[in-house]
Amino acid sequence: MNAFSTFARLAWIASCVLVVATTTSPAADKVIKIGGLLPMSGPGSYFGAQDKQGIELALDQLNKSGVNGYKFEIQYEDSACSPLPASQAAKRLIDQYKPDVLIGEECSDATLAIMPIVEQAKIPLINAGSSSIKITDPGNPWTFRIMPNEVMQGVDIATNAYKRLNARTAVLLHENTNAGIGNAQVFADTFTKLGGKVLADIGFGRDVNDFTAIATRIAGMGGVDVIPTYTLEGQGLKITQALMQAGVVKGGGGKAIQLGTIWLPFGFEQKAGKAALGYIRIVQFDPTDQRPQVRDFVQAFKAKFNLEPTHLNAHAYDQILLIADVVKRGGKDAQSIRDTLAQTKDFSGVTGSVEFDKTNQNVKMDTIHYMETKPDLSWTSLKWN
Amino acid sequence: MSKTSPNAAAQSRERRVWYLIAAVIVAALPLFVTDSYWRTNLIVCALNILLAIGLDFVLGYAGQLNLGQSAFYGLGAYSSTLLVLKLGLPFWAAFAIGTLMAGAAGALLSFFAVRLRGHYLAIASLGFAVIIYQILLNWISLTQGPLGIYGIAPPPTVAFPGLPQIAFGDLRNLFYLTAGFTLIVYVLLDQMVHSPIGETLTAIREDEVSAASLGIDGPKWKAFAFAVSSAAAGAAGCFYAPLVGTLVPDAFFVSESFMILAMVIVGGMGTLVGPVFGAVLLTILPEFLRSLGDMRLIIYGASVTLAVLFMPGGIVEAFHLLRHRLFPEGEMR
């Protein structure tokens, strides 16, 4: 009798669970699944770690109330900043997680490898970190980039170097990667066209650890006004310190100004110390921006992580917010999200605004913010754009 | 005419049964593995097996510590792709030339092996891998260097009279192509190592001077082993390019040589079947561990370290020891 009673109770509980599960399943189905292809291992892993923070914050905020009845969930895969792992990670996400939209990768080589896969699977990919022009030129209908490409950044920084800093000579330092060579080439073309002179174009592999010889060579050239530098953080620190020791840059008593784009994370100055003095670089997030959404983002980020947000945090946050905006405008599956994304005009994120041209490249230049490192290693916003 | 002993004949029959089983497994795998992610993993497994058994032939049988396998892999990938893109050769001709070029480069490297042994040969072959990597990286006008080559097409569709067309854009067909080729190479190598060629290479590995006293031409056989090993790596490279669709030099960095070496050691050097298990394990394990997120690489690294620590003879020896313990009366080979 006891056994029967226990069985009856279990059956009743199971029925209740079944009923609850059945009644709640329609709501649970209304989920936008996001696949995150982020480098979480290798030299670019700091991208992935910081991207995740921005994503988590955005999801926390959005999922409190949802958008048009949709909640958002994400699954990450380590795409390792490299073509084969990235394409493997993309296939795994697409086959097993079946996302409605993908975000990532950060490195251009990896993004270019992923693009044919997302095109074949017909799932939109939102990219924030890869600067190679090839991603949107020719690109494909399923890949969108919210950051300025290497040409937009390169032309802008070269023009500012010539016109605002009155630089007339430059030495280019870049890693020998797709993005490194491409960025340096655009700078060189623009700077030369304006009347400047490129004294040297120095490329190096990611395996180079000692930049003393390169810094000494630059010191020997004399009269270098600007040194555009395109490399990841690890090598970037070593280069900056070697340039200081060789007395080339302001931190070492020289007059040359290092220039950079979004390759370096926030906090680079603190790690580089005095060597970073006078470094001017593009960041795609200005934490001193007084727009309400930026102030709210900074405040919420500090509250959640007890850290100042970086441009990588902000970029990732904007990617999720852009997806939410698309869902608000009617996107509900891969095809409609792609179509709605393509029509995006004047989306206002914390890094700036987004409007895609016919190649799915964001054409808004207010995502480019120039920062200069002050003697106390804090930043000053140059308000050049 | 040489006579085969009954024991050798029985072993030969047993090997043929295993080839058949392997062929059945290759034929059946895509029927069970249907998603593109796992099918791609299977193709990567096939390529890694090709690389590992190639290295095992020169390392495990001829005893030459070659750390240049990544260079031959890259040579095969780049030469075949460039022959298709720049000279307009058909893929199959480019595949044959790419494989031969890698084999020729391996034979060239064997000249070092005549004078160098052990660690010294390892350093020389590592230097060779670095040189090839730097060429791929810096000869931008030819290789595109770090700018990469994108949009590489799969091998062209094959049509046989009366049969449906075989399109290699379909991952199932590409798997059959790569795994079938790998199986053929395995069978050829297995036949070789169980023939007088294998005995000759083993004699060189064990004692080169004694081998020479028996009339074995060490330099010639080393060149042969290097050429076969590097040709296998070159063939893997020819398949790599159409699989990924992208070529960048970083895919053939010297660290790839150590990964291939790890496959051989974890599987069991000098057994040919061992590197097959090693390649499968080291390809699939990190994919299985993906669900563990950030802990993935730590667990992967720890697993490989423990495998080497507790199975110094590799998976194959561990299997034999386990079998001996479980069935002490059983036949040990």
Side-chain angles (χ1 to χ4, degrees):
Chain A
M1 194 66 184
N2 273 346
F4 178 77
S5 170
T6 307
F7 176 77
R9 267 186 222 163
L10 281 173
W12 184 80
I13 290 168
S15 309
C16 289
V17 169
L18 196 64
V19 167
V20 170
T22 312
T23 51
T24 55
S25 62
D29 284 343
K30 288 197 75 171
V31 167
I32 297 294
K33 292 164 87 173
I34 304 166
L37 290 163
L38 307 176
M40 291 183 269
S41 58
S45 55
Y46 65 88
F47 285 120
Q50 295 184 46
D51 284 341
K52 270 182 168 179
Q53 291 175 317
I55 292 165
E56 302 297 334
L57 176 61
L59 292 181
D60 281 357
Q61 292 175 344
L62 290 168
N63 284 337
K64 278 179 188 161
S65 54
V67 175
N68 273 2
Y70 285 92
K71 295 283 175 91
F72 300 85
E73 66 170 43
I74 188 161
Q75 182 165 314
Y76 301 107
E77 286 294 345
D78 179 10
S79 43
C81 254
S82 184
L84 182 58
S87 52
Q88 283 293 79
K91 283 177 183 170
R92 181 178 158 99
L93 270 179
I94 290 168
D95 284 350
Q96 299 185 356
Y97 182 60
K98 303 192 187 313
D100 299 300
V101 57
L102 290 158
I103 59 172
E105 228 266 359
E106 291 283 355
C107 298
S108 293
D109 291 341
T111 303
L112 286 161
I114 292 167
M115 285 171 58
I117 297 167
V118 303
E119 186 178 23
Q120 194 179 17
K122 298 194 183 306
I123 295 173
L125 169 71
I126 301 175
N127 174 273
S130 307
S131 61
S132 170
I133 188 70
K134 291 176 196 161
I135 288 164
T136 47
D137 183 11
N140 72 40
W142 294 87
T143 305
F144 295 80
R145 173 163 49 193
I146 64 168
M147 71 179 273
N149 61 38
E150 65 193 11
V151 174
M152 295 160 78
Q153 289 184 67
V155 168
D156 202 57
I157 198 168
T159 307
N160 280 316
Y162 189 87
K163 292 186 175 170
R164 293 180 191 267
L165 299 175
N166 294 316
R168 294 296 177 265
T169 55
V171 170
L172 304 171
L173 291 179
H174 59 87
E175 62 171 36
N176 279 330
T177 60
N178 214 316
I181 293 174
N183 278 258
Q185 187 63 49
V186 174
F187 184 96
D189 290 347
T190 311
F191 193 64
T192 311
K193 207 176 282 177
L194 288 167
K197 188 176 177 188
V198 174
L199 302 177
D201 179 350
I202 304 173
F204 44 83
R206 280 188 174 171
D207 53 336
V208 175
N209 286 310
D210 187 351
F211 290 91
T212 310
I214 289 175
T216 309
R217 182 180 159 197
I218 297 170
M221 290 174 190
V224 179
D225 293 329
V226 287
I227 307 174
T229 309
Y230 305 100
T231 182
L232 296 177
E233 185 184 29
Q235 286 186 316
L237 280 168
K238 288 169 186 161
I239 290 171
T240 301
Q241 282 161 352
L243 289 171
M244 179 190 73
Q245 283 160 7
V248 176
V249 290
K250 287 183 176 174
K255 73 176 188 73
I257 298 170
Q258 251 193 297
L259 301 176
T261 56
I262 67 155
W263 293 50
L264 302 176
F266 282 36
F268 173 82
E269 288 74 15
Q270 279 66 42
K271 292 178 192 165
K274 193 177 121 185
L277 176 64
Y279 202 132
I280 293 176
R281 61 191 177 104
I282 292 174
V283 292
Q284 270 149 25
F285 170 60
D286 177 3
T288 64
D289 191 331
Q290 290 306 304
R291 287 181 299 143
Q293 68 259 50
V294 177
R295 289 206 306 258
D296 291 347
F297 167 68
V298 172
Q299 194 178 9
F301 193 91
K302 279 183 186 167
K304 184 171 174 67
F305 298 107
N306 198 25
L307 289 167
E308 296 284 339
T310 71
H311 73 282
L312 295 171
N313 300 138
H315 253 155
Y317 183 83
D318 269 359
Q319 283 172 298
I320 301 297
L321 255 53
L322 177 59
I323 293 169
D325 181 66
V326 165
V327 171
K328 198 173 173 183
R329 287 186 278 136
K332 57 186 180 188
D333 52 29
Q335 183 67 53
S336 59
I337 288 174
R338 193 224 78 86
D339 295 343
T340 315
L341 259 177
Q343 292 159 7
T344 300
K345 281 192 193 335
D346 289 326
F347 164 80
S348 184
V350 296
T351 56
S353 46
V354 176
E355 179 179 331
F356 293 114
D357 65 10
K358 62 181 179 187
T359 67
N360 297 338
Q361 167 65 50
N362 180 18
V363 292
K364 294 288 191 180
M365 293 296 282
D366 62 356
T367 50
I368 293 182
H369 309 275
Y370 285 92
M371 299 291 178
E372 181 178 12
T373 309
K374 295 196 289 188
D376 64 355
L377 304 182
S378 66
W379 278 353
T380 182
S381 174
L382 295 176
K383 310 287 181 201
W384 284 353
N385 275 326
Chain B
M1 192 171 169
S2 64
K3 285 187 178 175
T4 311
S5 70
N7 193 28
Q11 285 182 7
S12 176
R13 270 198 305 277
E14 190 184 321
R15 283 205 308 278
R16 276 189 220 129
V17 171
W18 282 114
Y19 299 156
L20 192 64
I21 292 171
V24 170
I25 291 171
V26 166
L29 269 174
L31 305 178
F32 300 104
V33 178
T34 53
D35 71 21
S36 67
Y37 164 64
W38 279 110
R39 279 186 172 171
T40 307
N41 279 330
L42 290 180
I43 298 169
V44 176
C45 267
L47 299 188
N48 283 339
I49 290 171
L50 196 51
L51 289 163
I53 58 175
L55 179 62
D56 192 41
F57 187 70
V58 73
L59 174 62
Y61 290 92
Q64 307 299 307
L65 184 48
N66 169 23
L67 294 179
Q69 203 73 337
S70 61
F72 306 119
Y73 190 27
L75 272 176
Y78 270 91
S79 54
S80 60
T81 303
L82 292 174
L83 285 169
V84 171
L85 295 180
K86 301 229 171 194
L87 297 182
L89 287 188
F91 173 82
W92 303 108
F95 172 80
I97 296 172
T99 304
L100 288 174
M101 279 177 71
L108 187 72
L109 183 63
S110 75
F111 289 125
F112 292 104
V114 173
R115 291 181 171 274
L116 302 172
R117 288 194 187 93
H119 302 105
Y120 299 98
L121 176 60
I123 297 296
S125 58
L126 195 62
F128 180 78
V130 171
I131 290 167
I132 296 294
Y133 172 75
Q134 291 298 335
I135 289 172
L136 297 180
L137 191 67
N138 293 304
W139 194 353
I140 293 175
S141 61
L142 180 71
T143 65
Q144 295 285 307
L147 299 174
I149 302 172
Y150 297 96
I152 300 166
T157 300
V158 173
F160 295 106
L163 291 172
Q165 289 191 331
I166 304 169
F168 294 108
D170 182 337
L171 287 174
R172 185 186 57 176
N173 294 336
L174 191 58
F175 169 73
Y176 281 137
L177 176 67
T178 53
F181 182 83
T182 300
L183 184 59
I184 291 168
V185 172
Y186 181 89
V187 171
L188 288 174
L189 292 182
D190 197 41
Q191 290 297 320
M192 268 199 270
V193 300
H194 288 96
S195 74
I197 295 174
E199 289 168 6
T200 304
L201 294 176
T202 310
I204 293 171
R205 180 189 70 193
E206 295 302 321
D207 188 343
E208 207 172 329
V209 176
S210 302
S213 72
L214 295 171
I216 292 172
D217 185 347
K220 190 181 82 179
W221 284 106
K222 281 184 192 174
F224 172 75
F226 265 95
V228 169
S229 166
S230 46
C238 295
F239 288 130
Y240 172 91
L243 168 68
V244 183
T246 296
L247 271 187
V248 287
D250 283 353
F252 310 103
F253 190 56
V254 289
S255 55
E256 193 66 22
S257 287
F258 291 101
M259 180 55 84
I260 301 163
L261 181 65
M263 290 170 187
V264 173
I265 292 171
V266 168
M269 195 165 54
T271 61
L272 214 57
V273 72
V276 174
F277 291 123
V280 172
L281 182 73
L282 295 194
T283 307
I284 297 296
L285 184 63
E287 297 301 328
F288 269 122
L289 294 175
R290 271 188 184 272
S291 54
L292 298 174
D294 295 344
M295 293 299 289
R296 178 174 73 108
L297 293 177
I298 295 171
I299 293 171
Y300 175 67
S303 308
V304 173
T305 307
L306 291 173
V308 173
L309 201 62
F310 292 107
M311 298 191 293
I315 294 169
V316 169
E317 191 179 293
F319 172 75
H320 283 313
L321 284 173
L322 187 67
R323 196 172 67 164
H324 182 59
R325 280 194 189 169
L326 292 176
F327 310 105
E329 300 304 316
E331 183 193 359
M332 284 291 294
R333 294 215 322 264

